[in-house]
């Protein structure tokens, strides 16, 4: 016959095994929660490194079961709203907005969207420090550090695309975890 102390230890080990098993199941559930990601940047038909990165991010996210789209896939030419208004509406509906600007004009557009409280909390802007975006580049960096929402992250050219990818994938994972926790409350 087991002594009470030995029996108690067996129960503890069984409980721990059950907890670990359930935690693995919960982790699998979290990893299966889809996140919607709107990816802004140069046209997919453009042949450059940033455009290729944009396509790669969309492909990886889609393969992982997330909804990843480019604005140009969503803008309706027959809509009464202009492209900017449609992008604003789309941005409101997505969980995350990833921006990969590569021109001065795109930085100006991003600055406008960053001033909108419906979007700026869910935006990550990746700025290539090797591109001359003009003075609006500094404004964007400064404004993102002064806010408690939205973020601008710099990287240095193609050699640091891994920073961009890792940040996007980690953020998507975190959003999935938040969705999971919110369902539990």
């Amino acid at each position: 016959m087991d002594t009470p102390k030995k029996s108690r230890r067996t129960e503890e080990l069984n409980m721990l095994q059950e907890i670990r098993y359930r935690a693995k199941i919960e982790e699998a559930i979290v990893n299966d929660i889809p996140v919607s990601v709107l990816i802004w940047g140069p046209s997919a038909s453009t042949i450059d490194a940033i455009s290729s990165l944009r396509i790669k991010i969309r492909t990886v996210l889609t393969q992982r079961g997330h909804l990843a789209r480019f604005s140009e896939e969503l803008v309706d030419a027959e809509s009464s709203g202009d492209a900017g208004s449609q992008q604003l509406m789309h941005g409101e509906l997505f969980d995350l907005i990833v921006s990969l600007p590569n021109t001065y004009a795109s930085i100006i557009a991003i600055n406008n969207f960053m001033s909108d409280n419906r979007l700026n909390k869910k935006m990550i802007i990746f700025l290539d420090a090797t591109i001359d975006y003009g003075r609006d580049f500094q404004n964007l960096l400064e404004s993102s550090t002064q806010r408690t929402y939205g973020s601008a992250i710099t990287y240095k050219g193609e050699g640091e695309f891994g920073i961009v990818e890792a940040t996007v994938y980690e953020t998507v994972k975190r959003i999935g975890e938040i969705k999971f926790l919110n369902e539990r409350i």
Side-chain angles (χ1 to χ4, degrees), residues 18-175:
E18 178 66 20
I19 288 170
R20 286 183 174 150
Y21 173 75
R22 286 183 176 181
K24 289 286 184 193
I25 291 171
E26 296 287 305
E27 184 179 355
I29 291 169
V30 169
N31 291 334
D32 281 345
I33 293 175
V35 174
S36 59
V37 183
L38 184 59
I39 307 168
W40 289 343
S43 170
S45 62
T46 304
I47 301 171
D48 68 11
I50 295 175
S51 181
S52 296
L53 175 62
R54 189 173 176 234
I55 292 167
K56 181 178 182 186
I57 289 170
R58 181 185 65 180
T59 301
V60 169
L61 290 174
T62 302
Q63 288 170 344
R64 293 181 181 178
H66 302 291
L67 172 67
R69 292 292 183 268
F70 301 150
S71 283
E72 61 268 25
E73 296 173 313
L74 303 172
V75 171
D76 180 359
E78 296 179 20
S79 172
S80 61
D82 65 11
S85 298
Q86 289 183 55
Q87 285 180 314
L88 175 68
M89 289 183 275
H90 297 146
E92 286 183 88
L93 300 171
F94 278 73
D95 296 318
L96 175 65
I97 301 168
V98 173
S99 179
L100 298 164
N102 67 343
T103 63
Y104 177 73
S106 59
I107 290 294
I108 292 171
I110 297 301
N111 266 316
N112 291 336
F113 285 118
M114 277 297 280
S115 66
D116 190 303
N117 288 330
R118 294 168 292 182
L119 301 185
N120 55 24
K121 294 175 182 77
K122 58 172 89 176
M123 289 179 70
I124 301 176
I125 302 139
F126 294 97
L127 299 166
D128 185 344
T130 66
I131 295 175
D132 180 13
Y133 295 108
R135 74 179 196 290
D136 288 294
F137 171 80
Q138 268 318 112
N139 292 343
L140 191 57
L141 282 177
E142 289 170 11
S143 68
S144 80
T145 58
Q146 293 169 2
R147 297 182 179 123
T148 56
Y149 46 81
S151 61
I153 298 169
T154 59
Y155 64 97
K156 292 181 181 166
E158 291 179 52
E160 293 189 359
F161 278 1
I163 292 169
V164 175
E165 290 182 71
T167 302
V168 170
Y169 305 144
E170 184 59 34
T171 303
V172 167
K173 182 179 178 195
R174 224 174 43 240
I175 292 169

